[in-house]
Amino acid sequence: LMTQNLLECALREDGGQLHNAYESLGVLGEDLHLLLLDPDRFLFDNQSIENGMQLLYRSGKLYGRDKEETLITDAFCRVSRGKSEAFFIGGFSGSGKSMLVDSLRDRVKCVGGYVTKHKFDAMSREKPLSGVISAFNQVCLMIKGRARPVIAKKLGEEFGVDFSLLMRLLPNVSVLLPEHVRPVINVDAGEAMNARSVCFTLLRFVRVVSSPSHPVMLFLDDIQWADSTALDVIHTILSDTMGSSCMFFVGTYRDNEVQVDHDIFNLIRELEMSHVHTTKLSLAGLDQSDLNTMISDALCLIQICKSLSGIIFQKTKGGPFFVLEFMQ
């Protein structure tokens, strides 16, 4: 289309503009830039599939989030040197908060780290500690496939006669030390134990299992639903005065659903007062330029995408999730 457009313009004797001609060299330059980025994508016809055109987004690409990806990656790199940090991401539903965090998963696993996640919901306050406990319980299964003998020995030395207490709280720890008899529990351990006991037990656990060679990344999604008790546990672990924990905490929340006095902001203030490195980030919708790149990639088209991008931007305000849904 571009080559045909240029040739026809050059051969026209009346000097008039074609209905689909480029308006300026600047607009032409933008399309040339897309061609140079990925010539195979734009220089050949996109093959249709039986049920319609296939949307060919770039695999693993977060459109318009380069700066944010750098920030979260740099934060994790600091943690992997032996420090605990907190990273908070606000934004409306569908703004791509979880996708930004998930982009870090492969890097964490590559350096031997553990990634554990829990998503809160409106019912989470009925059992305020169960989400955090469940997340750390998952870590036990991850350790089993990697450094089980070493970690199991350290846990045994750290807890000693209190190991049954750890097993009550994190039942999966039994896969690390199968010789220990698992206690019979008829009630939820996190509810039966008081909050202070849960905090201290989890802190001791994190001290053992986390290290620069095996950092723990704890991702809690939708923490606007989290109870203050659960956030207190996070504060206790991150502000460990012994400094032996190596945990990267990432919390995402819908900033349009919280007030300035929400427990999230109390946690941020307390972490900063405890000298815990804390990063705060807010995700807005994609701007029209990034949205145009995303749509051009999906359709393998240039030039005509700008007007389409403008329409989609008006409909979705640049929200990545809503853009994907609209394009489907």
Side-chain angles (χ1 to χ4, degrees), residues 27-42:
V27 177
L28 172 63
E30 291 176 3
D31 278 0
L32 284 172
H33 180 66
L34 289 174
L35 293 177
L36 290 172
L37 283 176
D38 194 345
D40 289 340
R41 180 178 291 265
F42 295 105

Side-chain angles (χ1 to χ4, degrees), residues 120 132 220 223 226-236 249 262-264 267 270:
F120 290 97
V132 177
L220 297 183
I223 57 174
D227 186 84
S228 61
T229 310
L231 300 181
D232 286 341
V233 173
I234 303 304
H235 175 260
T236 298
F249 168 72
H262 194 279
D263 292 328
I264 294 172
L267 172 61
E270 290 172 358

Side-chain angles (χ1 to χ4, degrees), residues 188-205:
D188 187 279
E191 302 304 315
M193 298 168 62
N194 62 57
R196 179 170 302 197
S197 179
V198 171
C199 275
F200 186 54
T201 302
L202 289 178
L203 175 59
R204 294 169 69 188
F205 174 76

Side-chain angles (χ1 to χ4, degrees), residues 60 62 65-74 100 103:
L62 284 181
R65 303 298 190 212
D66 293 342
K67 179 182 177 181
E68 291 81 359
E69 278 190 274
T70 299
L71 283 173
I72 196 170
T73 300
D74 288 348
L100 175 61
S103 70

Side-chain angles (χ1 to χ4, degrees), residues 215-255:
V216 173
M217 175 176 162
L218 172 61
F219 172 27
L220 297 183
D221 196 8
D222 280 342
I223 57 174
Q224 74 273 4
W225 297 113
D227 186 84
S228 61
T229 310
L231 300 181
D232 286 341
V233 173
I234 303 304
H235 175 260
T236 298
I237 296 173
L238 291 175
S239 59
D240 183 11
T241 54
M242 289 183 60
S244 56
S245 300
C246 189
M247 189 176 84
F248 185 38
F249 168 72
V250 182
T252 62
Y253 61 96
R254 300 176 187 178
D255 54 11

Side-chain angles (χ1 to χ4, degrees), residues 8-18:
E8 289 180 352
C9 285
L11 294 173
R12 279 182 70 94
E13 296 179 356
D14 58 4
Q17 187 181 43
L18 297 173

Side-chain angles (χ1 to χ4, degrees), residues 128-325:
L129 292 174
S130 61
V132 177
I133 293 171
S134 173
F136 283 114
N137 199 31
Q138 296 172 33
V139 175
C140 299
L141 300 179
M142 300 175 196
I143 296 171
K144 179 187 177 183
R146 301 191 198 176
R148 188 187 72 81
V150 176
I151 296 299
K153 180 181 178 182
K154 289 183 178 180
L155 283 173
E157 293 172 351
E158 168 66 28
F159 284 90
V161 295
D162 293 333
F163 195 81
S164 60
L165 182 66
L166 177 63
M167 293 185 71
R168 288 182 59 201
L169 190 64
L170 305 177
N172 286 341
V173 81
S174 61
V175 303
L176 304 179
L177 285 168
E179 63 272 18
H180 282 259
V181 178
R182 181 173 175 176
V184 178
I185 309 170
N186 296 321
V187 295
D188 187 279
E191 302 304 315
M193 298 168 62
N194 62 57
R196 179 170 302 197
S197 179
V198 171
C199 275
F200 186 54
T201 302
L202 289 178
L203 175 59
R204 294 169 69 188
F205 174 76
V206 174
R207 284 174 179 170
V208 172
V209 303
S210 67
S211 65
S213 58
H214 296 291
V216 173
M217 175 176 162
L218 172 61
F219 172 27
L220 297 183
D221 196 8
D222 280 342
I223 57 174
Q224 74 273 4
W225 297 113
D227 186 84
S228 61
T229 310
L231 300 181
D232 286 341
V233 173
I234 303 304
H235 175 260
T236 298
I237 296 173
L238 291 175
S239 59
D240 183 11
T241 54
M242 289 183 60
S244 56
S245 300
C246 189
M247 189 176 84
F248 185 38
F249 168 72
V250 182
T252 62
Y253 61 96
R254 300 176 187 178
D255 54 11
N256 60 318
E257 297 184 15
V258 295
Q259 304 298 322
V260 293
D261 59 348
H262 194 279
D263 292 328
I264 294 172
F265 304 114
N266 293 332
L267 172 61
I268 292 174
R269 285 191 292 270
E270 290 172 358
L271 289 172
E272 292 174 337
M273 290 174 61
S274 301
H275 306 291
V276 176
H277 198 297
T278 305
T279 304
K280 301 178 289 293
L281 190 65
S282 181
L283 293 187
L286 301 179
D287 62 31
Q288 291 196 51
S289 176
D290 292 320
L291 181 58
N292 183 63
T293 301
M294 179 179 178
I295 294 172
S296 294
D297 281 354
L299 301 178
C300 296
L301 293 172
I302 54 178
Q303 187 187 8
I304 64 171
C305 280
K306 215 157 206 179
S307 56
L308 175 61
S309 300
I311 295 172
I312 295 177
F313 183 82
Q314 292 177 2
K315 297 289 186 180
T316 64
K317 304 303 180 185
F321 174 80
F322 302 110
V323 171
L324 291 174
E325 289 296 303

Side-chain angles (χ1 to χ4, degrees), residues 60 62 69 72-73 98-107:
L62 284 181
E69 278 190 274
I72 196 170
T73 300
S98 296
M99 289 186 67
L100 175 61
V101 180
D102 288 339
S103 70
L104 194 61
R105 281 180 175 269
D106 289 341
R107 184 180 294 272

